[in-house]
Amino acid sequence: TGHGKIDEELLDDLEAILLSADVGVKTTGKLMQNIKAAIKKNEIQTADQLKPFLQDQINSILTGGETDGGKDYPAPFIIMVVGVNGVGKTTTIGKLGHYYRQQGRKVLLAAADTFRAAAIDQLEIWAGRTGAELIKHSEGSDPAAVAFDAVQAAKARKADVLIVDTAGRLHTKSNLMDELKKIRRVIAREIPDAPQETLLVLDATTGQNAVNQARTFGDVVQVSGVVLTKLDGTAKGGVVIAVKEELGVPVRWIGIGEGMDDLRPFDAAEFAGALFADK
Amino acid sequence: MVFEGLADKLQQTFKKLRGRGKLSEADVNEAMREVRMALLEADVNFKVVKDFISRIKERAVGQEVMESLTPGQYVVKIVNDELTNLMGGTQSRITISSKPPTVVMLVGLQGAGKTTTAGKLAHYLKKQNKRPLLVAADIYRPAAIKQLEVLGEQLEIPVFSLGDRENPVTIAQKAIQRALAYANDIVIIDTAGRLHINEELMQELKSVKQAVKPHEILLVVDSMTGQDAVTVAENFNQQLGLDGVILTKLDGDARGGAALSIKAVTGCPIKFAGMGEKLDALEPFHPDRMASRILGM
Ligand SMILES: Nc1nc2c(ncn2[C@@H]2O[C@H](COP(=O)(O)OP(=O)(O)OP(=O)(O)O)[C@@H](O)[C@H]2O)c(=O)[nH]1
Ligand SMILES: Nc1nc2c(ncn2[C@@H]2O[C@H](COP(=O)(O)OP(=O)(O)OP(=O)(O)O)[C@@H](O)[C@H]2O)c(=O)[nH]1
Ligand SMILES: [K+]
Ligand SMILES: [Mg+2]
Ligand SMILES: [Mg+2]
C-alpha cells in the first residue's frame, strides 16, 4: 500500500489477506463491503487508509468481553474448560493455574478428562509445576463424579479458583456433548451461578469449523469466552471474528506457546494489527 | 459427514445449470463464483481455489462444453475430474521395506493426533500380521510417553522408551536395535508436536531422519485446519521430505479443505484418514471416492 489510488488489485490484496487469515468468506465479504461503502462516501480516500480502516472495523467487532480475571466473583471461582480434541485445553489450564497462583490464590484443578490416555497424568504434572492441588479419580471413571468431588473439595479447602479439565470431544457427537452438560449441571447444583466461566478453547490453526464448534458448545454449555491457542505459529486465528460477530462470544485469552507463562489476556487492537503484520 | 456441505452447494449450483441447453460465459462465471465460495468455506487454501477455478473456467467455456448436449452436466464432470486430480487420483499405500524393519516417523503440529495415530497405525499393521514396535520419542509434552505406553498396553503392542532424559536421536537408534533383536518388522516413531517455524525442533527431526533413515515420514494433519495447512505442509516437506500425510478427526463436520490444499501444493499423497478417537478408527484414504463425495456424485 501507498498513498496512491485505490484500485481493484489493491482491494483484491486486502481480501487475500483476510481470507488467508481464516477470516472466512462471509465475514471477509462483509468487511470488503464496508470498505467499498466507505470509499464511496469518501471516508477512505487514499490507499494507506485501507488497512487502518479494516483494523478499526475488526477491533470494534472484537472489543468487549475482555477478562477481568475472575476478580468480582465470590470464591470458589469455577472455570470449566471445553473444546474439541487437541486444541490445548489441558495446557491452558496449566497456564491459567499458574496465572492465579502468581496472584497468590489457592487453585484446584479437576481431572475430569477420564477418557484420553494419560490425560490425568498430564494434568497432574501441570498441578505439580504450578503448585495447584489436583482432584482426580481413576481413568475411565465418571467425569461428573470428579467434578462433584472437586466442587466439594473447593468449598471445604476454601479454594479461590477451581478449573475443570474435560476430555476433548467433537461437537458433532451428541452423547459426548450430553456428558458435558451433565458435568455442568453437577457443578451448578452445588453452587448456583457456577461455573462462572466456561471457556471454549479454539486452536488458531482451525479454519471455518471453529464457528460450528463455538455454536454447538455454546448451545450445550453456555460458553462465556474463548481461549485462542497456538498463536505462536503462522496461523492468525481470524475465524474468531466470525465467532464474535455471529455468536457474540468474546475472546478472553490467547495462548502463545507451550510453557506456563505463554498465556496473555486478549487484546483486540493487537490482534487486529497482527492480521496484517507481515503483509 | 465431512464434505457434505460442499457437495450440497455444488449440486444446487449445477442443478441450475443442468436444466439449460446451452451455457453462456455469464452462466459459467456465476457457477464458478459459487464453487469458489463453497471451496473457501470448506477451508481450501485461497490460492489453490484461485488456480482451480481458473482451470475449470478455461475448460468450461471451451468448445467441448458448448458442443455437448448437456453442458451443465459436462461442467459438473469437469469439476469432478479436476477435483479428483487435485486429491491425487488413486490410493497411495505406505512402503513396506523388503529389509525389515520398516521405519515410519510421524511428525506434525501440536495436538494434530500423532500419538493416537501411532497407536492406530500399529494396530492396523498388526492386523496385517506385522509385528510393530511403538517408539516414544516425544520427550517434551507432559505425560506424552505415558500416553503412548497406555495405548501400547491397550493394543498389546510393545512400546520402546528411554524416558525423557535421552534425546530423540538416541531413542530412535536404540529402538531400531531393539526391533532387530526382537524381530519387530515395523517401527513407528511418535515425535513431539512442534511448529514448522521452530528451527531447533525441526533440526531435531532432521537429525532423527539422518540417523535412522525412515522409509515413511508422515505428516499428521488435523482435518479442521484452515488456510495454514499449506504453510505447515510446505515447511515440513521442504525440511524433511514427506512421504505422505495422515488426515485426522475426519469423524466430525469439518469440510476438510486442508486435504485438497496440501495435496495440491506439496504433491504429498494422503495415505490414511483418522475417523475417531478409538484405536481401530483408521482407514486408508481414497482420493477418488473423496472427490466424488465432495460433489455428492
Ligand atoms: N505452540 C503451542 N502449542 C500449544 C499451545 N497450547 C497448547 N499447545 C500444545 O498443544 C498440544 C495439545 O495440548 P493439550 O493441552 O494436550 O490439548 P487438549 O485440548 O487438552 O487435548 P485433548 O485433551 O486430547 O483434547 C500439546 O502439545 C500442547 O503443548 C500454544 O499456545 N502454542
Ligand atoms: N475425534 C477424533 N479425535 C482424534 C482423532 N485422532 C486423534 N484424536 C484426538 O485428538 C487429541 C490429540 O491427539 P494426540 O494423539 O494426543 O495428538 P498429538 O499430535 O500426539 O499431540 P502432541 O503430542 O501434544 O503434539 C486426542 O484427544 C485424541 O484422542 C480422530 O481421528 N478423531
Ligand atoms: K489441533
Ligand atoms: Mg486435555
Ligand atoms: Mg503426542
Side-chain angles (χ1 to χ4, degrees):
Chain A
T1 11
H3 301 275
K5 258 187 61 187
I6 299 167
D7 54 19
E8 208 49 47
E9 203 184 317
L10 212 52
L11 293 178
D12 280 352
D13 286 348
L14 275 187
E15 185 183 45
I17 291 174
L18 294 172
L19 289 174
S20 65
D22 289 310
V23 172
V25 65
K26 206 159 120 196
T27 308
T28 298
K30 272 190 206 161
L31 291 168
M32 295 309 293
Q33 283 303 317
N34 293 350
I35 284 197
K36 282 173 193 159
I39 293 172
K40 226 179 201 159
K41 284 191 272 174
N42 269 333
E43 287 165 16
I44 298 176
Q45 286 163 342
T46 59
D48 54 6
Q49 290 175 311
L50 287 171
K51 280 183 192 172
F53 178 88
L54 259 186
Q55 280 176 22
D56 222 48
Q57 294 257 309
I58 292 167
N59 187 10
S60 67
I61 293 172
L62 289 173
T63 300
E66 283 79 2
T67 183
D68 63 359
K71 277 199 283 287
D72 299 334
Y73 296 97
F77 178 54
I78 302 183
I79 306 171
M80 180 168 165
V81 179
V82 302
V84 300
N85 309 81
V87 287
K89 293 176 292 299
T90 307
T91 308
T92 298
I93 289 169
K95 296 174 187 174
L96 277 171
H98 177 61
Y99 170 86
Y100 289 115
R101 286 291 298 141
Q102 286 211 304
Q103 297 184 344
R105 307 213 208 177
K106 187 180 171 81
V107 177
L108 240 62
L109 307 182
D113 178 357
T114 59
F115 176 75
R116 212 213 60 208
I120 301 169
D121 305 73
Q122 185 187 0
L123 192 67
E124 190 155 28
I125 292 171
W126 277 108
R129 279 183 186 174
T130 57
E133 291 174 35
L134 181 77
I135 304 299
K136 63 167 182 178
H137 290 186
S138 56
E139 201 167 307
S141 61
D142 176 12
V146 179
F148 177 82
D149 277 1
V151 176
Q152 296 306 324
K155 287 198 277 194
R157 300 183 202 176
K158 301 202 178 358
D160 299 304
V161 182
L162 165 64
I163 314 177
V164 182
D165 192 13
T166 62
R169 70 201 72 218
L170 296 179
H171 51 286
T172 50
K173 305 206 166 153
S174 59
N175 56 330
L176 297 179
M177 294 304 280
D178 285 345
E179 179 192 272
L180 215 52
K181 210 184 262 177
K182 187 175 158 203
I183 297 173
R184 191 187 160 87
R185 205 162 50 227
V186 164
I187 297 172
R189 205 193 294 136
E190 295 310 302
I191 298 181
D193 300 333
Q196 295 90 345
E197 179 90 293
T198 301
L199 293 176
L200 172 70
V201 180
L202 296 177
D203 181 333
T205 55
T206 307
Q208 299 312 301
N209 193 249
V211 179
N212 296 1
Q213 292 170 28
R215 186 177 293 117
T216 312
F217 276 99
D219 286 347
V220 175
V221 288
Q222 295 136 57
V223 169
S224 55
V226 162
V227 182
L228 186 62
T229 59
K230 309 187 193 177
L231 272 176
D232 47 325
T234 47
K236 305 282 189 184
V239 70
V240 295
I241 301 169
V243 167
K244 177 75 191 295
E245 208 198 23
E246 287 178 35
L247 307 167
V249 185
V251 185
R252 294 257 211 258
W253 302 93
I254 60 166
I256 50 166
E258 300 182 79
M260 63 184 166
D261 289 312
D262 295 326
L263 183 78
R264 298 279 181 280
F266 177 69
D267 179 329
E270 198 181 303
F271 179 87
L275 289 181
F276 302 90
D278 44 341
K279 307 285 168 178
Chain B
M1 270 319 293
V2 176
F3 294 127
E4 208 166 63
L6 179 54
D8 284 351
K9 286 232 174 69
L10 292 186
Q11 284 222 355
Q12 277 168 27
T13 305
F14 287 116
K15 214 176 264 166
K16 285 183 233 158
L17 290 187
R18 247 183 214 138
R20 312 240 186 103
K22 272 216 178 316
L23 288 183
S24 71
E25 199 168 334
D27 285 337
V28 173
N29 283 342
E30 167 62 15
M32 288 309 125
R33 208 182 64 83
E34 289 186 45
V35 173
R36 175 179 181 269
M37 292 264 284
L39 291 172
L40 284 172
E41 272 173 34
D43 292 319
V44 179
N45 182 270
F46 82 96
K47 284 184 199 142
V48 173
V49 171
K50 215 168 171 178
D51 291 350
F52 184 68
I53 296 289
S54 65
R55 252 197 331 273
I56 297 195
K57 245 185 199 166
E58 214 167 89
R59 288 186 59 187
V61 296
Q63 208 53 27
E64 34 172 4
V65 175
M66 297 311 181
E67 280 172 6
S68 87
L69 287 175
T70 49
Q73 264 170 39
Y74 205 91
V75 173
V76 174
K77 184 187 167 320
I78 292 172
V79 173
N80 188 40
D81 284 355
E82 292 287 341
L83 213 52
T84 307
N85 272 343
L86 209 61
M87 301 286 290
T90 54
Q91 191 198 332
S92 338
R93 297 160 202 280
I94 60 171
T95 322
I96 301 293
S97 168
S98 56
K99 193 168 156 274
T102 298
V103 180
V104 180
M105 179 161 82
L106 300 183
V107 300
L109 295 182
Q110 290 94 344
K114 295 173 294 300
T115 306
T116 310
T117 303
K120 288 178 182 178
L121 191 59
H123 177 63
Y124 177 88
L125 293 166
K126 189 182 169 185
K127 280 193 303 189
Q128 298 181 2
N129 298 318
K130 301 284 183 221
R131 291 170 38 82
L133 174 69
L134 285 162
V135 182
D138 177 357
I139 57 171
Y140 307 105
R141 168 171 164 172
I145 297 172
K146 181 76 191 292
Q147 185 186 356
L148 194 65
E149 282 170 350
V150 170
L151 298 182
E153 213 165 284
Q154 286 171 11
L155 295 167
E156 297 178 8
I157 289 172
V159 175
F160 181 84
S161 152
L162 294 174
D164 57 9
R165 298 275 168 84
E166 286 291 349
N167 69 66
V169 174
T170 310
I171 295 170
Q173 283 171 324
K174 296 223 164 125
I176 308 279
Q177 288 167 15
R178 140 86 220 220
L180 286 168
Y182 289 81
N184 294 110
D185 49 7
I186 308 261
V187 171
I188 300 172
I189 305 172
D190 178 34
T191 65
R194 69 201 69 214
L195 293 172
H196 50 292
I197 51 172
N198 184 326
E199 281 173 28
E200 192 184 327
L201 288 180
M202 290 306 287
Q203 181 55 49
E204 178 190 278
L205 288 180
K206 288 184 217 166
S207 303
V208 174
K209 173 182 176 177
Q210 191 157 32
V212 301
K213 312 235 161 14
H215 300 89
E216 292 274 338
I217 300 180
L218 301 175
L219 179 70
V220 179
V221 179
D222 186 327
S223 63
M224 294 177 271
T225 312
Q227 298 290 317
D228 202 39
V230 161
T231 313
V232 172
E234 268 182 324
N235 269 279
F236 271 94
N237 191 34
Q238 272 160 16
Q239 299 191 55
L240 292 168
L242 298 174
D243 300 288
V245 171
I246 299 183
L247 214 59
T248 63
K249 309 178 199 177
L250 274 162
D251 45 323
D253 63 351
R255 307 269 196 79
L260 283 167
S261 311
I262 291 175
K263 181 62 180 71
V265 170
T266 65
C268 292
I270 297 156
K271 297 195 170 174
F272 289 97
M275 304 295 297
E277 294 187 75
K278 301 245 166 69
L279 294 170
D280 57 1
L282 185 75
E283 296 173 5
F285 184 84
H286 297 283
D288 44 347
R289 286 188 214 163
M290 202 48 118
S292 303
R293 199 153 119 188
I294 293 173
L295 295 170
M297 292 165 47

